[in-house]
């Protein structure tokens, strides 16, 4: 290694350079994963970094040669077999198929490991760890981080330059054809998405001005490439800095959406897998820094507005602890006090949860339980029904016997089971967070990001601002410097309007219940329930899903369509919670003026009509009560797609009945001419 670095020997063969690059990256990742390195190991790592720099220069040095040589290098960079190097000389005039770029993924993964290493070892306090940037006068970039980031940027440029022009033209045509563009993302765009996920884990490990300059150079080069291909709309001045954060956020959301809505090819699978591995256990840090940046760049707010809902939905669905923190923050609880590790706090929380469980279990029992002699025994059995066999419904559906009293519980008891599960999730999350806060430095930083993010989302003001930008009729402003087309931005707007209600549903999970005034102190409900554009936008999404919720389907068909059914249940449950909370502050005269359609007609566009809500609820509740009744066993741990769907049906039954009762009470006392 020293001979290669210190002597002016001819360049090693490209195949040997590629193999040595893979081995060097593997050794660097193994070394940095041990965290505690001695001086000898640090010196050895610096030598390997220098070797890696030399090898990558050898690989990329041929990219400026003739077209024939460039074809050989392209095959080299993408191929894993030595024979491809020689056969590419004969095939350079033919179409080339890209193979798995394994060493490229290892390069990005090595940068990720080093970013996490420097975050966990060079941060003195939690505020710097959760900050978006640091003071450049006090921080100098480590040599290894600078070198790895530069080569990752060069790799993205290489992928963009070697992209087939036909693929670029096809992608540009899809911008005008429909939603296919949201499920199609080129390899260099996947590289940007992977780089974005790495940088958003801990941007503070880099100096802000250096990072902005480096990534501006990358984006400017991509813009010039697209301008030469006729795909760019604008080019910035060479002196101006391009805000990289909104554009990187956009590509990250596109990659997440592409992975959720399509089956990736062999070329795309390795990029998608690397992105999932990077986001795993770091979703909260990534989303936390994205949200912080969204408050800074107001000129590129549209890119954030149409990208953040996709990332927020993805994070809440996969990070149960964050979803639990956020939903209890939406109820107005002080979630920061959860991680206080003392016996007094533990006893107070246990007593409070026990009292809340008892209150939920006895709330409203006098409505329909006055004729059961064994009510107490059945109540005890119903409290443990959530841990029964998950196949109980399947057994009942295949049998000719009728449902038992234990299967079909009353609404107050179902509500008590629902609230008990929420409190049980709260206790589990609290115990896990306390254990993490006493663990390694990286775990402590993740907990801090999680709590900060949950408070920002759950308190309501940020969600209100995002909702106002999504559902207020405005024309999207293109501020992406030619890297995102106007037509694609319109498609992203539609996709964001679909993801936002689902994300909102996760935040409102603990706010669902059979009583409208139970969560009157919720800051999120107080802000969104009285914002007319948000209320009407969610109602539009909910009304479109009514046919799906009331359609008669077999059990197998429902399982096959479970993602669509889960989303439909979530959105309608959110509307029920918001609208029932809204009706608490609306008097009868205002209700008639806003939500009652007179017989002589009138302009009802952009309005919520109570009659439409009642008819939709009638169909949905008929299915939940009679056609395919909700069982107590449906309130169980959500471990698979089927259990998630059953849990959301329980929630829809509780929230839908709450809104139905609110409208029924109002409807009965109103005088209508």
């Amino acid at each position: 290694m020293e001979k290669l670095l210190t002597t002016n020997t001819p360049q090693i063969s490209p195949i040997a350079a590629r193999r040595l690059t893979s081995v060097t990256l593997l050794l660097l990742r193994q070394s940095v994963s041990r965290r505690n390195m001695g001086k000898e190991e640090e010196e050895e790592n610096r030598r390997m970094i220098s070797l890696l720099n030399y090898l990558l220069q050898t690989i990329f040095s041929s990219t400026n040669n003739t077209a024939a040589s460039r074809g050989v290098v392209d095959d080299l960079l993408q191929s894993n077999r030595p024979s491809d190097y020689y056969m590419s000389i004969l095939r350079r005039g033919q179409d080339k198929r890209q193979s798995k770029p394994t060493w490229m993924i290892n390069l990005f993964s090595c940068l990720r490991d080093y970013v996490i290493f420097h975050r966990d070892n060079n941060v003195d306090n939690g505020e710097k760890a959760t900050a978006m940037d640091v003071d450049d006068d006090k921080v100098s970039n480590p040599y290894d981080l600078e070198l790895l980031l530069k080569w990752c940027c060069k790799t993205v440029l290489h992928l963009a330059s070697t992209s087939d022009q036909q693929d670029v033209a096809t992608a540009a045509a899809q911008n005008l054809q429909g939603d296919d563009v949201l499920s199609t993302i080129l390899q260099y765009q996947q590289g940007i998405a992977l780089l974005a996920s790495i940088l958003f884990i801990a941007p503070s490990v880099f100096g802000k001005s250096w990072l902005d300059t480096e990534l501006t150079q990358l984006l400017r080069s991509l813009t010039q490439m697209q301008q030469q291909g006729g795909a760019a709309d604008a080019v910035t001045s060479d002196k101006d800095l391009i805000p990289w954060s909104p554009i990187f956020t956009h590509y990250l959301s596109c990659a997440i959406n592409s992975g959720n809505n399509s089956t990736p090819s062999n070329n795309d699978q390795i990029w998608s897998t690397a992105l999932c591995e990077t986001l795993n256990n770091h979703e909260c840090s990534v989303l936390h820094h994205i949200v912080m940046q969204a408050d800074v760049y107001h000129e590129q707010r549209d890119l954030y507005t149409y990208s953040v809902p996709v990332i927020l939905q993805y994070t809440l669905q996969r990070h149960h602890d964050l979803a639990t923190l956020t939903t209890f923050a939406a109820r107005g609880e002080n979630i920061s006090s959860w991680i206080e590790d003392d016996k007094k706090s533990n006893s107070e929380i246990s007593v409070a949860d026990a009292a809340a469980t008892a209150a939920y279990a006895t709330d409203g029992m006098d409505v329909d339980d006055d004729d059961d002699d064994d009510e107490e025994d059945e109540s005890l059995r119903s409290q443990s029904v959530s841990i029964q066999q998950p196949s109980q419904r399947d057994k009942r559906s295949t049998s000719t016997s009728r449902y038992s009293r234990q299967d079909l519980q009353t609404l107050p008891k179902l509500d008590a089971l629902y609230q008990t599960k929420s409190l049980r999730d709260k206790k589990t999350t609290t115990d896990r967070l306390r254990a993490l806060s006493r663990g390694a430095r990286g775990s402590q930083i993740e907990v801090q990001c999680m709590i900060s993010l949950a408070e920002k989302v759950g308190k309501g003001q940020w969600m209100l601002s995002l909702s106002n930008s999504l559902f207020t009729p405005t024309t999207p402003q293109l501020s992406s410097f030619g890297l995102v087309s106007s037509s694609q931005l319109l498609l992203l707007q539609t996709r964001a309007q679909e993801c936002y209600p689902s994300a909102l549903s996760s935040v409102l999970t603990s706010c669902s219940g059979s009583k409208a005034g139970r969560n009157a102190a919720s800051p999120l409900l107080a802000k969104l329930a009285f914002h007319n554009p948000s209320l009407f936008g969610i109602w539009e999404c909910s009304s479109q899903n009514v046919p799906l919720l009331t359609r008669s389907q077999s059990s197998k068909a429902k399982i096959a369509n479970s993602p669509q059914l889960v989303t439909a249940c979530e959105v309608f449950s959110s509307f029920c919670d918001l609208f029932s909370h809204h009706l608490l502050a609306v008097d009868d005269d205002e209700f008639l003026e806003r939500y009652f359609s007179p017989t002589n007609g009138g302009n009802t566009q952009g309005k919520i009509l109570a009659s439409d809500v009642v008819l939709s609820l009638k169909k949905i509740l008929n299915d939940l009560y009679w056609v395919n009744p909700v069982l107590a066993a449906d309130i169980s741990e959500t471990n698979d797609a089927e259990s998630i769907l059953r849990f959301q049906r329980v929630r829809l039954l509780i929230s839908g009945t709450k809104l139905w009762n609110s409208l029924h009470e109002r409807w009965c006392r109103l005088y209508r001419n």
Side-chain angles (χ1 to χ4, degrees):
M1 181 172 64
E2 291 182 356
K3 183 178 180 180
L4 286 174
L5 298 177
T6 57
T7 60
N8 295 324
T9 57
Q11 289 186 348
I12 61 176
S13 66
I15 295 179
R18 178 182 59 81
R19 291 179 176 177
L20 288 174
T21 298
S22 299
V23 173
T24 304
L25 289 170
L26 180 61
L27 292 175
L28 285 172
R29 293 187 62 192
Q30 289 178 347
S31 177
V32 78
S33 64
R34 290 192 288 269
R35 304 300 180 189
N36 297 324
M37 293 187 294
K39 293 183 178 180
E40 295 182 358
E41 194 170 4
E42 290 180 357
E43 180 64 27
E44 199 66 28
N45 280 352
R46 281 193 290 269
R47 294 183 177 221
M48 285 193 292
I49 288 289
S50 300
L51 175 61
L52 177 65
N53 185 41
Y54 175 82
L55 294 173
L56 292 175
Q57 286 177 353
T58 301
I59 294 177
F60 281 96
S61 62
S62 302
T63 56
N64 295 325
N65 293 343
T66 60
S69 299
R70 187 180 301 113
V72 174
V73 174
D74 292 343
D75 285 339
L76 164 68
L77 292 174
Q78 304 294 342
S79 176
N80 290 320
R81 296 180 300 177
S83 60
D84 290 343
Y85 170 74
Y86 302 102
M87 294 302 297
S88 63
I89 300 177
L90 302 176
R91 298 174 179 172
R92 61 177 179 263
Q94 302 177 3
D95 294 336
K96 300 180 289 297
R97 295 183 179 271
Q98 294 181 342
S99 302
K100 294 181 179 180
T102 306
W103 74 267
M104 294 183 181
I105 299 297
N106 288 333
L107 178 62
F108 282 85
S109 300
C110 189
L111 174 63
R112 176 195 65 201
D113 295 344
Y114 267 85
V115 166
I116 297 174
F117 172 79
H118 285 284
R119 181 200 66 175
D120 296 346
N121 290 274
N122 297 340
V123 176
D124 298 329
N125 54 64
E127 293 181 359
K128 283 187 178 181
T130 58
M132 190 63 201
D133 51 66
V134 295
D135 189 358
D136 291 332
D137 296 335
K138 298 180 181 179
V139 174
S140 59
N141 296 318
Y143 172 73
D144 47 13
L145 284 179
E146 282 193 5
L147 188 66
L148 289 171
L149 180 59
K150 287 181 178 180
W151 282 116
C152 286
C153 293
K154 289 184 179 180
T155 302
V156 171
L157 290 176
H158 168 76
L159 292 173
S161 63
T162 57
S163 297
D164 191 8
Q165 295 297 327
Q166 184 177 358
D167 294 338
V168 176
T170 302
Q174 287 177 343
N175 289 337
L176 303 176
Q177 290 178 358
D179 295 336
D180 291 340
V181 67
L182 299 181
S183 300
T184 304
I185 181 169
L186 301 178
Q187 280 202 36
Y188 84 90
Q189 296 172 342
Q190 293 176 332
I192 295 177
L194 181 56
L195 183 59
S197 64
I198 295 171
L199 293 178
F200 283 130
I201 291 176
S204 58
V205 299
F206 295 97
K208 184 178 185 302
S209 61
W210 180 88
L211 184 63
D212 290 344
T213 302
E214 192 71 23
L215 297 181
T216 294
Q217 184 178 357
L218 169 64
L219 295 178
R220 184 176 290 117
S221 300
L222 291 174
T223 303
Q224 293 173 353
M225 289 180 184
Q226 293 196 9
Q227 186 186 32
Q228 294 174 1
D233 298 330
V235 179
T236 60
S237 172
D238 292 340
K239 299 180 180 180
D240 297 333
L241 288 176
I242 300 178
W244 60 271
S245 178
I247 300 175
F248 275 42
T249 303
H250 158 73
Y251 283 122
L252 178 59
S253 66
C254 289
I256 290 175
N257 182 77
S258 176
N260 291 339
N261 296 339
S262 62
T263 302
S265 61
N266 292 332
N267 286 343
D268 298 335
Q269 181 65 44
I270 190 170
W271 291 100
S272 178
T273 302
L275 180 61
C276 292
E277 291 177 354
T278 302
L279 291 176
N280 187 27
N281 297 326
H282 300 290
E283 305 102 323
C284 295
S285 296
V286 172
L287 183 57
H288 169 74
H289 291 112
I290 289 176
V291 170
M292 291 180 63
Q293 283 293 83
D295 296 335
V296 176
Y297 292 103
H298 298 284
E299 295 180 357
Q300 288 78 29
R301 180 162 293 276
D302 284 341
L303 280 178
Y304 281 117
T305 300
Y306 306 147
S307 302
V308 168
V310 178
I311 305 174
L312 179 63
Q313 181 195 34
Y314 174 89
T315 305
L316 290 175
Q317 288 179 349
R318 285 160 178 78
H319 205 294
H320 183 264
D321 290 339
L322 175 64
T324 303
L325 283 171
T326 306
T327 189
F328 278 94
R331 289 177 59 167
E333 294 194 15
N334 182 16
I335 59 176
S336 299
S337 63
W338 287 14
I339 61 173
E340 295 178 1
D341 193 9
D342 56 86
K343 297 181 179 180
K344 180 178 179 181
S345 179
N346 288 333
S347 61
E348 289 178 353
I349 291 177
S350 301
V351 172
D353 290 350
T357 303
Y360 290 133
T362 58
D363 186 15
M365 287 299 182
D366 57 337
V367 176
D368 55 355
D369 287 62
D370 54 350
D371 58 345
D372 293 332
D373 295 335
D374 57 344
E375 177 184 17
E376 182 177 358
D377 294 337
E378 289 195 8
S379 178
L380 293 175
R381 289 197 301 269
S382 66
Q383 295 295 332
S384 60
V385 74
S386 60
I387 60 175
Q388 291 181 357
Q389 297 180 359
S391 59
Q392 183 175 358
R393 176 183 285 276
D394 299 333
K395 294 180 180 179
R396 292 293 181 182
S397 60
T398 58
S399 175
T400 57
S401 61
R402 304 171 64 181
Y403 290 111
S404 66
R405 173 64 174 170
Q406 184 179 354
D407 297 331
L408 298 175
Q409 294 291 332
T410 61
L411 182 68
K413 290 182 179 180
L414 287 176
D415 186 30
L417 287 174
Y418 181 89
Q419 302 300 335
T420 302
K421 182 182 182 302
S422 296
L423 295 176
R424 187 166 58 248
D425 292 341
K426 173 184 175 180
K427 184 179 183 304
T428 302
T429 298
T430 302
D431 295 340
R432 189 180 296 112
L433 292 181
R434 287 175 177 171
L436 291 175
S437 63
R438 296 190 299 266
R441 181 62 180 168
S443 300
Q444 296 175 8
I445 295 174
E446 287 296 323
V447 171
Q448 294 174 4
C449 290
M450 200 184 309
I451 293 177
S452 175
L453 179 62
E455 288 180 340
K456 189 174 186 64
V457 175
K459 295 305 180 182
Q461 185 59 44
W462 182 80
M463 291 292 288
L464 175 63
S465 176
L466 184 61
S467 176
N468 184 59
S469 301
L470 283 173
F471 296 112
T472 301
T474 56
T475 302
Q477 300 295 325
L478 186 64
S479 302
S480 58
F481 305 96
L483 295 173
V484 182
S485 65
S486 302
S487 55
Q488 186 177 10
L489 203 61
L490 290 173
L491 295 176
L492 290 172
Q493 182 183 23
T494 303
R495 176 59 181 163
Q497 291 175 348
E498 296 173 354
C499 292
Y500 177 85
S502 178
L504 177 63
S505 174
S506 299
V507 179
L508 290 175
T509 299
S510 66
C511 296
S512 297
S514 60
K515 298 296 181 180
R518 178 181 295 163
N519 295 303
S522 168
L524 182 62
L525 288 176
K527 290 179 171 63
L528 289 181
F530 302 100
H531 185 248
N532 291 331
S534 301
L535 201 59
F536 180 73
I538 296 176
W539 164 245
E540 275 193 321
C541 298
S542 303
S543 58
Q544 295 173 0
N545 294 323
V546 173
L548 180 63
L549 292 172
T550 58
R551 187 182 305 165
S552 178
Q553 297 176 326
S554 62
S555 59
K556 293 183 179 180
K558 287 187 176 182
I559 295 175
N561 298 328
S562 59
Q564 293 82 2
L565 288 172
V566 167
T567 302
C569 291
E570 289 176 342
V571 175
F572 210 99
S573 298
S574 299
F575 171 75
C576 293
D577 293 331
L578 290 174
F579 197 54
S580 59
H581 187 82
H582 173 83
L583 293 178
L584 291 174
V586 176
D587 58 25
D588 293 345
D589 294 335
E590 186 179 1
F591 178 81
L592 285 175
E593 181 181 355
R594 286 189 179 184
Y595 308 114
F596 182 68
S597 178
T599 55
N600 56 2
N603 185 15
T604 60
Q605 186 176 4
K607 294 180 61 176
I608 301 176
L609 298 181
S611 57
D612 294 340
V613 177
V614 170
L615 289 177
S616 300
L617 283 173
K618 178 182 178 181
K619 298 176 182 178
I620 294 173
L621 294 178
N622 179 71
D623 179 78
L624 296 175
Y625 274 104
W626 301 105
V627 179
N628 189 17
V630 169
L631 304 182
D634 293 341
I635 306 178
S636 60
E637 297 299 328
T638 53
N639 298 322
D640 53 18
E642 185 178 359
S643 61
I644 293 175
L645 175 58
R646 292 177 177 177
F647 177 78
Q648 291 299 330
R649 292 182 77 250
V650 176
R651 180 186 175 187
L652 180 57
L653 173 73
I654 296 173
S655 297
T657 304
K658 173 178 63 178
L659 179 57
W660 175 273
N661 292 336
S662 299
L663 291 172
H664 176 72
E665 294 172 1
R666 175 92 59 168
W667 207 258
C668 290
R669 70 170 182 261
L670 289 179
Y671 172 77
R672 297 177 299 279
N673 186 1

